Amino acid sequence: MTAMTSELYSHSRSDPEYFLPSHTRVEADLCAVPTLPLRKLGQFSCSAFYPAATHLYASDGVPFLRCVDIVDFPLISPDQPFARLPASFADEHSTIRSLHAGDVVISKVGTPCYAALLAEDMPPSAMTRTVLGMSQIDQSVIDPYYLIAFLRSRHGFDQLMRERELTIQYQLTLERTRKIKVYVPERQVQEIVGDMVRRYYRALRASVAASSSARHMIEAALGLDKLALHKPVGYTAQLSEVEESRRLDAEHYFPAFRAFRGGLPAGLALSPLSGHLDFCQRGRQPAYVTTGLPVINSKHVQQNRVIEEDNRFALANPDANLQIRFGDTLLNGTGRGTLGRAAPYLGDKLAVPDNHVTIIRSASLDPVFLSLYLNSAAGQMQVEMHQRGTSGQLELYPSDIRRFLVWAAPTGFQREVRDLHDKAAMAERESRRLLEEAKTRVEQLIEAAVKP
């Protein structure tokens, strides 16, 4: 790589990574098309110092936007699992800046360079110090939905990555973000791309609605929607229970699950999962190779969804039963925050579980229904009951998973839940396709404009 001395001065950067060929090619492309710097398209702000607030996080209040809320969400919607603050805390500290529907937020540290638009139904939201915001966007010049497609495309994201600065960790600054060049095509072209992003959001909302309907069906049938649990100051257990379970930890006897069982609707009964199982075993340490079967680990097993991206590969297990196959239910068996998370595996290819993932195989319980049940309060209360270990390493062993009590719902009910899940999955795939189409369209427009 080479750079002119004049470039070092004009960019105020001398680190070699700044002049990587991928960055200079993007710069050359944008010099050949009409652009405007971000500073001319809106106003920028970020939060400065404020007192520690993590102890104030609650389930309601003002969304407190963090880096983790941005990376996977090009459009920020009100039902995301935000950290939330009391409105009074944000009002009392003028250093905490806010954004509103239609504004843009960009991750600044942690995992920087991802941009997102606050959807039209988002309430006012406060910013943590891990993000920066762009408000008062000049919509007479730029369609905000097109702007998000551009900032998520190769020509936008590459510029943001280039402008990061390394101190203790990589971060973006307001000054360097303001200089990002935005390709500004004709308004009609912007709206075509913007409409792809708007359709992406509608498809995503349809997916969320279908998933919520499936979850609510199970919660309503189990009476969970009417269950009010109060944490008692103290509680007791019978010696016979201690003898039967061989457990002395207080968490195992927390009365929440007992209260849930006592309030089950008439005619609905729970039975041990072991009576519905064909197979229940944790994976082994994979034999990693360059090419082979994809490995599924705990980060791939999200709630009700297996992510089949960024997989490593491994040799097939000698025991064919330890190959993940279509129709299995996967359960994370270790780790605080991931323990007890369940998802159905509906992929066509065989896969290998690592030693943190348990395969649950049942002919009578649909994997989608079982995953939703395990992820509901009914399942998660039992995760807390049966987990073992300390806060450093929590474990949920197959022998304990078999002791879970489950509801063997009628086949028709399970099928209805599965249909809603499939509808949600289809809408999610469509949303991803539309977003990729929007980003690709931006890149194609720039490439076409650059060609002589």
Side-chain angles (χ1 to χ4, degrees):
M1 296 177 295
T2 59
M4 302 296 291
T5 305
S6 58
E7 293 179 293
L8 303 184
Y9 284 110
S10 63
H11 291 291
S12 300
R13 293 285 287 265
S14 59
D15 45 311
E17 293 81 5
Y18 192 83
F19 298 95
L20 286 169
S22 59
H23 295 327
T24 54
R25 280 196 297 269
V26 165
E27 182 180 17
D29 286 348
L30 292 172
C31 285
V33 297
T35 62
L36 283 173
L38 276 176
R39 67 173 178 271
K40 291 193 174 181
L41 299 175
Q43 300 296 316
F44 283 82
S45 63
C46 63
S47 294
F49 176 81
Y50 51 82
T54 53
H55 64 288
L56 298 175
Y57 288 176
S59 58
D60 55 4
V62 176
F64 202 28
L65 299 176
R66 301 164 297 169
C67 173
V68 294
D69 300 318
I70 314 303
V71 176
D72 295 325
F73 301 95
L75 269 82
I76 307 295
S77 59
D79 57 0
Q80 287 179 218
F82 302 109
R84 293 177 181 271
L85 286 173
S88 57
F89 182 85
D91 292 339
E92 289 167 4
H93 297 91
S94 59
T95 53
I96 299 178
R97 302 301 177 87
S98 297
L99 294 174
H100 299 80
D103 293 342
V104 168
V105 59
I106 301 174
S107 55
K108 182 164 72 82
V109 296
T111 309
C113 308
Y114 288 87
L117 181 72
L118 272 66
E120 59 187 18
D121 50 353
M122 271 294 291
S125 305
M127 290 188 287
T128 64
R129 292 193 294 272
T130 64
V131 302
L132 57 86
M134 179 182 179
S135 56
Q136 300 179 41
I137 297 171
D138 189 348
Q139 298 192 30
S140 66
V141 177
I142 198 81
D143 180 338
Y145 289 84
Y146 164 80
L147 178 59
I148 285 300
F150 175 82
L151 292 175
R152 288 263 177 166
S153 73
R154 179 170 64 88
H155 288 83
F157 188 72
D158 185 273
Q159 287 186 87
L160 290 166
M161 291 288 284
R162 186 186 192 190
E163 295 298 337
R164 297 175 304 169
E165 294 180 318
L166 182 60
T167 51
I168 298 175
Q169 60 181 328
Y170 279 112
Q171 66 174 324
L172 282 172
T173 63
L174 288 176
E175 178 185 358
R176 290 198 167 275
T177 305
R178 288 188 183 103
K179 66 185 286 190
I180 297 300
K181 293 180 178 179
V182 179
Y183 169 54
V184 186
E186 296 178 359
R187 185 70 185 195
Q188 183 179 7
V189 174
Q190 289 187 43
E191 291 178 353
I192 290 172
V193 175
D195 283 343
M196 293 177 188
V197 180
R198 281 181 271 268
R199 286 160 53 206
Y200 148 80
Y201 189 60
R202 288 196 294 270
L204 190 62
R205 301 312 300 157
S207 174
V208 170
S211 293
S212 296
S213 295
R215 184 180 69 253
H216 290 152
M217 272 187 66
I218 293 179
E219 290 175 350
L222 293 168
L224 286 167
D225 57 337
K226 299 176 182 176
L227 183 66
L229 296 174
H230 303 286
K231 189 170 184 178
V233 176
Y235 47 91
T236 61
Q238 299 291 321
L239 284 174
S240 58
E241 295 178 282
V242 176
E243 178 66 23
E244 180 184 356
S245 64
R246 298 291 180 174
R247 299 285 293 262
L248 291 173
D249 49 309
E251 292 82 2
H252 185 77
Y253 302 99
F254 189 74
F257 187 68
R258 187 182 305 168
F260 159 65
R261 289 185 67 187
L264 284 172
L268 193 150
L270 305 181
S271 56
L273 180 58
S274 58
H276 305 278
L277 291 178
D278 299 322
F279 184 77
C280 180
Q281 191 169 324
R282 182 182 284 193
R284 301 169 181 168
Q285 177 64 34
Y288 290 107
V289 291
T290 305
T291 59
L293 296 180
V295 174
I296 302 296
N297 60 33
S298 56
K299 77 174 182 180
H300 297 117
V301 182
Q302 301 294 311
Q303 279 202 358
N304 307 316
R305 175 176 172 241
V306 176
I307 298 175
E308 298 179 67
E309 298 173 359
D310 300 323
N311 302 82
R312 296 176 68 184
F313 297 94
L315 297 174
N317 279 313
D319 181 355
N321 280 321
L322 271 181
Q323 258 60 271
I324 299 172
R325 63 184 72 160
F326 178 88
D328 286 346
T329 300
L330 306 181
L331 185 70
N332 283 333
T334 61
R336 184 169 294 277
T338 59
L339 186 76
R341 211 160 53 193
Y345 185 75
L346 303 175
D348 295 329
K349 299 178 180 178
L350 294 176
V352 174
D354 77 357
N355 51 331
H356 301 294
V357 174
T358 299
I359 298 174
I360 301 173
R361 193 168 293 146
S362 172
S364 59
L365 296 175
D366 181 89
V368 170
F369 169 79
L370 181 55
S371 296
L372 284 163
Y373 177 86
L374 292 173
N375 288 323
S376 74
Q380 293 304 298
M381 284 187 283
Q382 295 185 79
V383 169
E384 293 182 11
M385 283 175 59
H386 293 293
Q387 67 189 19
R388 298 176 186 267
T390 65
S391 59
Q393 184 61 35
L394 295 174
E395 300 278 356
L396 189 60
Y397 296 107
S399 58
D400 290 318
I401 294 170
R402 293 186 183 98
R403 300 177 66 185
F404 276 38
L405 296 179
V406 299
W407 174 41
T411 303
F413 185 95
Q414 294 190 44
R415 187 181 301 116
E416 191 173 352
V417 168
R418 175 67 174 268
D419 289 344
L420 284 169
H421 176 274
D422 291 347
K423 181 179 178 182
M426 185 180 300
E428 185 186 15
R429 287 193 296 270
E430 175 66 3
S431 71
R432 290 201 302 268
R433 185 193 67 80
L434 287 165
L435 182 62
E436 289 304 315
E437 185 178 346
K439 294 191 294 185
T440 300
R441 182 59 178 150
V442 171
E443 294 163 6
Q444 290 172 340
L445 289 168
I446 294 173
E447 291 166 2
V450 169
K451 288 181 181 179

